[in-house]
Amino acid sequence: MKILVTGGAGYIGSHTCVELLESQHDVVVVDNFSNSSPKAVERVEALTNKKITCYEVDICDVELAQVFEEHQFDAVIHFAGLKAVGESTKEPLSYYQHNVQGSLNLLRMMKKHGVKTLIFSSSATVYGQAKIVPIDETSQLQPQSPYGQTKLMVEQMCKDLSAAQDDFTAVMLRYFNPVGAHQSGMIGENPTGIPNNLLPFISQVAVGTHPELRVFGNDYNTVDGTGVRDYIHVVDLAQGHVKALEALHQSNQFTTLNLGSGKGYSVLEVVDAFSKLNDVKVPTIFVPRRQGDVEICYAACDKANQLLDWETKLSLSDMVIDTWRWQTNNPQGY
Ligand code: NAD
Ligand code: WQD
């Protein structure tokens, strides 16, 4: 199939391009490089020995039309957007513009050009402060940030379009906590500024960019008092996209699917695995809980396991080893 990948130069997008190309799909990338580098696309080409047609285009802009005029796509995998929860509370309009208006523009283009399959990067953040774990797809949707609201709004647009157009397929993939990097060490997460997420921060502590990891809260009702999350290796996640595309592209339905590992690890368990398996020091200090954090969050993934014939294969060990390989091979990022 010929696939348009929006945000294909980004962290999850670049890993998904590798898996798509290795599964013999053709890939066209659209990215404005606001949070990525064209080098990521070059590295994907080098890794797979295949070509990608890449456009520097913002999905909110009229130039997106030209991309649809030049190619007849079988499906779109839509990663492009902004993703920092904290920033979204300070700059909500940017989030509504890039995530909601950008998606609306994309859906309009798809409709105009008869492209009938969309795989969308949603997030576990749509569940907000879920009271019951594991979280399944029927859990209450109550996003706690403008970022989360944008994800839910795009889901709703897709649901409504799917109801209106019988042959439209919309698959909402709700990711839990993507981490790790490709085993080649050639592509990985490349955060700009001080990272908000745990694994990139641990890596930067291990290389000495920061003196210590601040662990947000050690008074949760968990195995060691620190927050528990469902970490999923980005390569497993990328393969989930290919499986979703291949299994559901003619389903003509709106489907929501959790993509996680179904297991929870505490902050200290992750730190411990990272320092032991990579033989590095990761000093930690405990600080008060971070506002908005939940105690425990992990996914029920039975629906994705069954519908996609997919399950995660990579362990916490793979996640921390691959993160460190990427970091040490690319100390300045791309
Ligand atoms: P990322 O920032 O690495 O990738 C997003 C890409 O989209 C970047 O290359 C960026 O330059 C591009 N982009 C942003 N706005 C654009 C626009 N208006 N037009 C064109 N390109 C644009 O982020 P990621 O971690 O790869 O996340 C991909 C998607 O998955 C995002 O939609 C994100 O919200 C979602 N998601 C991410 C996580 C996570 O923890 N990484 C979790 C759940 C959901
Ligand atoms: C993980 C754990 C922190 C940093 C976020 C978004 C979510 C999704 C994934 C996009 C928590 C603890 C972290 C640090 C710490 N993204 N931590 N010190 O908050 O589960 O999810 O990313 O959709 O929407 O909210 O991920 O990596 O920030 O935190 O102690 O310096 O690590 O408290 O327990 P989170 P995270």
Side-chain angles (χ1 to χ4, degrees), residues 73 75 122 138 147 149 152 174 185 213 272 305 315 331:
F73 298 114
S122 188
T138 64
Y147 167 70
Q149 291 291 354
L152 193 53
R174 294 175 178 162
L213 171 76
D272 195 47
N305 296 160
S315 64

Side-chain angles (χ1 to χ4, degrees), residues 11-12 31-32 34-36 58-59 79 83 98 147 151:
Y11 172 46
I12 306 168
D31 203 301
N32 66 359
S34 59
N35 196 38
S36 57
D58 191 303
I59 56 164
F79 296 100
K83 64 164 180 176
H98 287 273
Y147 167 70
K151 290 291 171 191

Side-chain angles (χ1 to χ4, degrees), residues 217-273:
N218 63 344
D219 56 352
Y220 287 113
N221 185 22
T222 61
V223 59
D224 54 24
T226 65
V228 167
R229 296 290 182 276
D230 183 334
Y231 298 94
I232 174 169
H233 196 293
V234 67
V235 170
D236 278 328
L237 183 63
Q239 287 170 358
H241 289 71
V242 179
K243 289 277 194 172
L245 178 72
E246 292 174 350
L248 299 176
H249 83 279
Q250 285 177 331
S251 65
N252 300 338
Q253 274 177 15
F254 173 83
T255 307
T256 55
L257 291 173
N258 286 345
L259 293 186
S261 71
K263 292 191 206 77
Y265 289 103
S266 74
V267 175
L268 292 183
E269 285 171 331
V270 176
V271 172
D272 195 47

Side-chain angles (χ1 to χ4, degrees), residues 111-182:
K111 191 160 192 322
K112 183 172 173 198
H113 293 271
V115 185
K116 293 170 185 156
T117 298
L118 177 74
I119 314 272
F120 173 60
S121 297
S122 188
S123 168
T125 204
V126 295
Y127 298 119
Q129 308 263 350
K131 290 189 183 64
I132 300 168
V133 285
I135 300 170
D136 73 20
E137 290 82 355
T138 64
S139 296
Q140 207 181 338
L141 302 173
Q142 42 188 3
Q144 307 284 310
S145 66
Y147 167 70
Q149 291 291 354
T150 67
K151 290 291 171 191
L152 193 53
M153 283 177 164
V154 176
E155 285 201 7
Q156 188 63 46
M157 290 196 300
C158 293
K159 192 174 185 181
D160 292 342
L161 182 57
S162 170
Q165 186 184 320
D166 287 345
D167 58 0
F168 189 68
T169 295
V171 185
M172 311 290 105
L173 299 180
R174 294 175 178 162
Y175 317 151
F176 280 66
N177 289 58
V179 297
H182 194 267

